[in-house]
Amino acid sequence: MMETLDSAGVKALIGDTPIRQDVLEAALARHEADRAAHAIGEAAAVGDLEATMRWAKALEDFMNSGDGFVLHACFCRAVELLRDVPEVGIGGLPEKPQPSLYREREERELAMAAAVARHEAGTALREGNYPQAMRTLAVLRPFVQAFFARIDFKDAEPALRDNRLKLVRELRDTLCLVGDLSKIEARTEV
């Protein structure tokens, strides 16, 4: 029976790599967090470090692109908005955002685009098609930008604000499917 590798074991076997360290950390953190559900976990479990490196390389290419740069900045904005929000039970409502509380087109469009991206990126990751997972998330860029440009989080109605924060939480979690983006260093230019 083969023993699974944790992120420290994988890093030790990888050694020096041309991939940015923060990106490698992001890919490995995702592997560690959800080993069974993602191909990188399965690959590491059987000693296939090539898959780990392909995932990290695809994530690095994505983070170096304009789409990755903008989405990482939006991820950071989402984290900031959620900083003081409890992870469970925002506003006493169910955990998921309620479509009936979407008042703006940008909310509806982001929710639909994120749902599609979650499904398609998850499928691509399970198949080991890491570049496709990144391309799937790249499609979110215009929806995310429009959402953050138009939506007010200081809305007078608490239920709308709470629902918007739940949508932001789903967006954060969707973006983190491809890696723990909190490990990625913010960059000032692409």
Side-chain angles (χ1 to χ4, degrees), residues 36-76:
H38 294 283
I40 192 169
E42 295 163 12
V46 296
D48 184 3
L49 298 181
E50 181 184 334
T52 303
M53 295 304 292
R54 286 187 302 111
W55 184 324
K57 178 63 175 140
L59 181 58
E60 181 178 53
D61 291 347
F62 180 57
M63 287 293 114
N64 289 336
S65 72
D67 292 328
F69 177 80
V70 168
L71 288 173
H72 185 257
C74 291
F75 167 81
C76 292

Side-chain angles (χ1 to χ4, degrees), residues 69 72 185-190:
F69 177 80
H72 185 257
E185 294 175 17
R187 302 183 104 179
T188 55
E189 58 186 64
V190 179

Side-chain angles (χ1 to χ4, degrees), residues 44-148:
V46 296
D48 184 3
L49 298 181
E50 181 184 334
T52 303
M53 295 304 292
R54 286 187 302 111
W55 184 324
K57 178 63 175 140
L59 181 58
E60 181 178 53
D61 291 347
F62 180 57
M63 287 293 114
N64 289 336
S65 72
D67 292 328
F69 177 80
V70 168
L71 288 173
H72 185 257
C74 291
F75 167 81
C76 292
R77 171 101 192 271
V79 168
E80 184 64 31
L81 285 168
L82 295 168
R83 184 172 312 279
D84 297 323
V85 176
E87 280 300 306
V88 178
I90 297 172
L93 297 173
E95 286 191 43
K96 297 268 184 208
Q98 301 301 303
S100 63
L101 292 175
Y102 296 151
R103 296 293 183 261
E104 305 294 336
R105 176 178 50 90
E106 291 82 2
E107 292 169 295
R108 289 185 294 277
E109 289 178 351
L110 177 59
M112 287 187 294
V116 170
R118 256 190 317 279
H119 173 74
E120 291 180 2
T123 299
L125 290 172
R126 283 188 297 281
E127 293 172 353
N129 191 343
Y130 311 117
Q132 180 59 39
M134 307 306 158
R135 286 189 295 273
T136 296
L137 290 189
V139 172
L140 288 175
R141 179 180 176 174
F143 301 104
V144 173
Q145 286 180 299
F147 176 81
F148 281 123

